[in-house]
Amino acid sequence: MKRLIALLSSLTLVSLVTAAELPAGTDASDPLIQLGCLDVTKAPYRADPTGRIDSTQAIQRAINDARDHALVCFFPEGTYLISETLSCEQQVRKLDKPRSADRGTQHYWDLSHRVVLFGSTRGKRPVLKLSKDAKGFDDPAHPKIAVWIWAQTRDDAPGKQEPNWGEEQPNISFNHFFRGIDIDIRGHAGAIGIRHSGSQGSALLDSTILAEGAYAGMNNCCGQGGGTYNIEVIGGRHAIVIEPESRFPILTGCVFKGQTAAAITYAKGGSQAPALLVGCLIDSPADAAIDLTTQRAYAGISLVDCVVNLSRGGVIARTAKSENLHLEDTFVRGPATVTTDGTALPATDQWMLIRRFSSHVATAMNLINGVSSSGELRDWSVVPAAPDFAALSRRHYQPGPSFEDRDAVNVKTFGAKGDGTTDDTAAFEKAIATHDRIFVPKGDFRMTGTLHIRRNTQLFGLTATFSSIGLRAGDRRDPLPKKGPMFAVATVDDATAAPGLSLLSVRGRIDWKSGGGDAFLAPGTLMLSGHGGGRFYGVKTLGGPLVVAGVTQPTAFYALNVEREVTNPQSEIKDSAHIRIYYFKVEAGNVQPENEGGANTPVRIARSHDVRIHCMAGRVRRLGDRPMLDIVDSDAVVVTQLKTFQPSSFPHLRETRGQVKHEMPSSQPCALFVRDTRSVSQP
């Protein structure tokens, strides 16, 4: 406690936020305000953390004010009673002149204000609790959401010069966070804990949803360029209900326990892109983990490094026909089959390891070691011991640092200003030289040259931006400088180093050479080289291609997003090994680079070994004869659930080995590609 008070108190000497920039009625001298946090329990909101007084209106006002003033809506420890949906809306404004974009004409455009809700990491997590007297949350035929994070559509309504008010547009729901806040909806049969159909830069993480007697914990989740991490849903009819608005859904390190029906189900017309679960646990008395019978069409679903424990004799995925389904290195106990009427598993009362299971819809295909095929593939066996789920989960995600950690220091105590003008390089260098956990509060921190971080440095923020001296502040979607010098953050070139960057917008280059560590939603130009490796979450390329060259340390990308780059290929993995990509959202063919004729392959894998891509999808068109995925002289490569939204004459995938080529047409989704052999033909 003393350590936290000292951290907060030090900020009053270097105040950044002025009273004029704050919501009316707030205290400019509040140390939390200077961090960039708007405390819902303080004036003028005074939300009750004891759970006795309804705080819906107070919290709603705080959410809106935090959004409009670029602050974090911050919840100290406690229980907060709500009785209506908390609407966390990304708003739109009217344009002076209409615009034309992907979906037509817009007379309105979205505001760049972020919605960020964080809970305190001191003590127990704060809880948003749905009041027993809340109205409209008790009809499972018409579910109602407790927390809704959404973007108001900017598209013109038919025949109008304004949008349909109240209509959600998930593909523009950018940079919104919900972190470290639990939700209690128990006892409301029609309640859903949270809906967050976030797009690039949006994340849902580190929360528990208590849903016994409720409809579902989640409705949709964050995907491309962001993701969903460490969400536990206890009870409820379902853990998550997925709709087409859930774009490229990825769930990592999540736990679903005690659901009375299938933990994962679909509504409103199935799905446009496959769902991916990585390092997740489904532990339920129900007879199915996934229900693929509620809609006519599904893009598919994949489970990797997961654990599934169901009632004896059940089924992992309830199906009415062949579906796109992939399981890899997943432990199961209880189910008799993977799919309805599928091949029997060896046992129901023992743990089994499904090393690989793949099935697909009638139009899809496999390409295994150069041979095209169709149908179900399976490889499983009984194992002698229960899986270590904690170890599986840690492999993919661990919660990041907090400014409330006892060993965290604030960079402002070393003289950093964050005022958009002062050169703060020296202050950061001082902090890095003496401490491992360095918190960067709200601000625009200007730097020169390259900032070198040490082997265990954790550099993290809330809403801060790094950029070069002399550059104008950039748009929220473009962290790269338009002109002038490019500032860089560089890690030490050491296979055993494990630094961290999280929740920082780096308007420059990230030179990553450390063999471990995490970069979590830290947008910038990522360059991997030397001993580079580790885990990278929500990477979105802007201003240049993503190149992984000569990297041999284990490297994993989660919710990778490559799009709108004019180079060919847009991204490349070359002369590398031990690369994992858990969801790869791509866009290509919608730009017209002069030197490439408008056709650019989203990714090429060249001369590499042990590469796996689980779920690759997106809007790819006009590629000519270039493939969506190009694999050249590489081995131990696995690709699952590859699909363009706009099939044409170009190949989904092309494999070249010396002079021999194999292709999968974009008219047929790629259920599974495997190249097992280690021998590589030379051109």
Side-chain angles (χ1 to χ4, degrees):
M1 182 65 179
K2 291 181 180 179
R3 179 75 186 84
L4 176 62
I5 292 172
L7 173 68
L8 297 176
S9 298
S10 66
L11 292 177
T12 59
L13 301 176
V14 285
S15 176
L16 168 67
V17 184
T18 66
E21 298 172 314
L22 295 175
T26 54
D27 181 4
S29 66
D30 178 5
L32 272 171
I33 283 282
Q34 298 304 321
L35 293 180
C37 294
L38 190 66
D39 188 335
V40 300
T41 66
K42 294 180 179 177
Y45 315 104
R46 302 192 187 282
D48 174 30
T50 70
R52 293 193 293 266
I53 300 173
D54 192 310
S55 295
T56 308
Q57 293 185 6
I59 294 172
Q60 185 65 67
R61 181 182 175 189
I63 289 170
N64 295 345
D65 282 353
R67 173 198 63 199
D68 297 343
H69 292 82
L71 297 168
V72 172
C73 188
F74 183 75
F75 291 77
E77 179 182 2
T79 298
Y80 300 86
L81 205 62
I82 61 171
S83 56
E84 189 51 82
T85 300
L86 295 175
S87 177
C88 308
E89 178 188 355
Q90 176 183 300
Q91 297 179 312
V92 296
R93 62 179 175 86
K94 189 169 185 179
L95 295 168
D96 295 332
K97 295 181 179 180
R99 295 186 184 184
S100 294
D102 293 340
R103 294 169 47 162
T105 302
Q106 289 97 4
H107 284 78
Y108 285 75
W109 202 255
D110 46 301
L111 291 167
S112 61
H113 296 168
R114 303 174 62 191
V115 174
V116 184
L117 280 66
F118 275 24
S120 172
T121 56
R122 291 176 51 219
K124 296 180 179 179
R125 282 190 199 142
V127 180
L128 293 170
K129 183 175 182 179
L130 195 58
S131 167
K132 62 180 178 60
D133 300 319
K135 306 298 183 183
F137 292 91
D138 296 303
D139 183 2
H142 300 90
K144 187 173 180 180
I145 304 158
V147 180
W148 185 22
I149 301 175
W150 64 292
Q152 163 64 46
T153 184
R154 65 192 182 199
D155 291 341
D156 284 358
K160 296 184 178 180
Q161 295 185 358
E162 62 178 356
N164 285 324
W165 299 109
E167 180 181 317
E168 182 180 14
Q169 188 176 336
N171 72 311
I172 63 168
S173 186
F174 299 120
N175 302 317
H176 307 309
F177 283 90
F178 187 92
R179 177 186 181 186
I181 304 169
D182 293 346
I183 301 173
D184 186 347
I185 55 172
R186 289 177 291 184
H188 290 277
I192 295 173
I194 186 168
R195 178 183 172 103
H196 186 4
S197 309
S199 238
Q200 288 92 336
S202 291
L204 171 60
L205 60 157
D206 302 340
S207 300
T208 295
I209 303 171
L210 303 173
E212 290 94 338
Y215 181 70
M218 292 182 283
N219 179 201
N220 295 347
C221 65
C222 301
Q224 73 278 23
T228 306
Y229 307 91
N230 191 30
I231 302 298
E232 183 174 11
V233 179
I234 300 176
R237 181 173 177 80
H238 308 291
I240 183 169
V241 177
I242 300 176
E243 299 175 0
E245 293 85 357
S246 192
R247 300 163 53 80
F248 315 96
I250 178 172
L251 296 136
T252 304
C254 295
V255 173
F256 303 150
K257 286 185 176 181
Q259 283 71 50
T260 58
I264 303 163
T265 192
Y266 288 81
K268 289 177 58 179
S271 55
Q272 66 165 2
L276 174 61
L277 278 70
V278 185
C280 294
L281 168 66
I282 300 174
D283 187 356
S284 169
D287 61 359
I290 305 158
D291 193 347
L292 297 177
T293 64
T294 62
Q295 306 297 322
R296 289 183 297 175
Y298 303 92
I301 191 164
S302 293
L303 279 67
V304 180
D305 283 350
C306 290
V307 176
V308 179
N309 188 23
L310 300 175
S311 65
R312 301 295 181 267
V315 60
I316 295 176
R318 185 180 296 120
T319 55
K321 60 184 186 306
S322 294
E323 300 286 1
N324 295 319
L325 182 65
H326 184 85
L327 280 73
E328 188 163 308
D329 294 330
T330 290
F331 294 87
V332 303
R333 184 176 68 174
T337 59
V338 176
T339 61
T340 303
D341 299 326
T343 303
L345 289 163
T348 61
D349 58 350
Q350 295 175 273
W351 283 104
M352 290 169 286
L353 172 61
I354 299 179
R355 284 176 286 274
R356 181 173 296 153
F357 174 92
S358 177
S359 65
H360 57 77
V361 296
T363 57
M365 65 178 291
N366 306 314
L367 183 59
I368 313 297
N369 292 323
V371 179
S372 299
S373 65
S374 61
E376 184 178 290
L377 299 171
R378 49 189 177 272
D379 178 7
W380 55 51
S381 63
V382 175
V383 292
D388 184 348
F389 172 70
L392 280 175
S393 181
R394 284 195 304 270
R395 182 186 305 170
H396 296 285
Y397 175 81
Q398 290 179 277
S402 164
F403 71 86
E404 295 176 302
D405 292 345
R406 295 179 62 85
D407 57 349
V409 296
N410 191 309
V411 72
K412 285 195 171 184
T413 63
F414 296 86
K417 302 296 182 182
D419 56 12
T421 302
T422 303
D423 186 344
D424 288 322
T425 309
F428 275 87
E429 289 174 343
K430 289 178 184 177
I432 290 168
T434 55
H435 293 82
D436 285 338
R437 292 200 174 202
I438 300 158
F439 170 63
V440 186
K442 174 183 169 68
D444 182 0
F445 296 86
R446 297 305 176 106
M447 319 290 280
T448 55
T450 299
L451 181 66
H452 295 273
I453 62 177
R454 299 190 303 162
R455 55 180 293 105
N456 293 314
T457 300
Q458 297 288 317
L459 201 60
F460 62 98
L462 294 171
T463 58
T465 298
F466 284 174
S467 56
S468 297
I469 287 288
L471 292 176
R472 294 183 302 169
D475 184 88
R476 61 176 173 154
R477 294 168 213 159
D478 186 3
L480 301 182
K482 300 298 184 185
K483 60 182 178 178
M486 182 180 284
F487 160 68
V489 176
T491 70
V492 62
D493 192 354
D494 183 344
T496 64
L501 290 174
S502 59
L503 305 181
L504 293 171
S505 180
V506 181
R507 297 188 69 228
R509 191 175 67 249
I510 301 173
D511 291 333
W512 193 280
K513 298 182 179 180
S514 297
D518 298 339
F520 186 87
L521 286 165
T525 302
L526 178 65
M527 306 292 289
L528 276 173
S529 61
H531 290 95
R535 302 182 296 194
F536 302 91
Y537 302 89
V539 173
K540 183 182 188 298
T541 60
L542 289 167
L546 173 68
V547 178
V548 179
V551 171
T552 58
Q553 291 294 117
T555 303
F557 294 90
Y558 300 81
L560 178 61
N561 189 184
V562 172
E563 62 180 64
R564 299 177 187 268
E565 302 296 344
V566 298
T567 58
N568 182 61
Q570 291 183 324
S571 60
E572 190 166 16
I573 300 168
K574 58 184 179 180
D575 305 310
S576 297
H578 315 308
I579 310 296
R580 300 289 184 268
I581 300 177
Y582 301 103
Y583 229 120
F584 200 165
K585 186 258 180 172
V586 295
E587 288 187 19
N590 54 351
V591 292
Q592 297 293 330
E594 294 178 1
N595 62 334
E596 297 291 354
N600 46 358
T601 287
V603 61
R604 175 183 294 144
I605 302 170
R607 302 177 304 279
S608 294
H609 169 74
D610 188 24
V611 179
R612 296 192 182 191
I613 300 176
H614 292 289
C615 296
M616 180 176 172
R619 190 182 182 200
V620 178
R621 55 183 179 172
R622 296 201 301 263
L623 296 190
D625 64 351
R626 288 179 171 152
M628 184 170 169
L629 172 59
D630 195 11
I631 302 173
V632 180
D633 291 335
S634 298
D635 68 319
V637 178
V638 176
V639 181
T640 69
Q641 306 240 28
L642 168 64
K643 182 178 183 293
T644 175
F645 295 163
Q646 296 172 294
S648 184
S649 59
F650 63 87
H652 259 143
L653 180 150
R654 176 183 294 144
E655 182 193 29
T656 304
R657 300 176 66 77
Q659 300 302 314
V660 179
K661 292 184 180 181
H662 304 282
E663 290 188 348
M664 304 180 77
S666 61
S667 59
Q668 291 184 269
C670 166
L672 178 64
F673 168 88
V674 176
R675 172 55 69 178
D676 280 333
T677 178
R678 294 181 60 89
S679 62
V680 178
S681 301
Q682 298 301 317

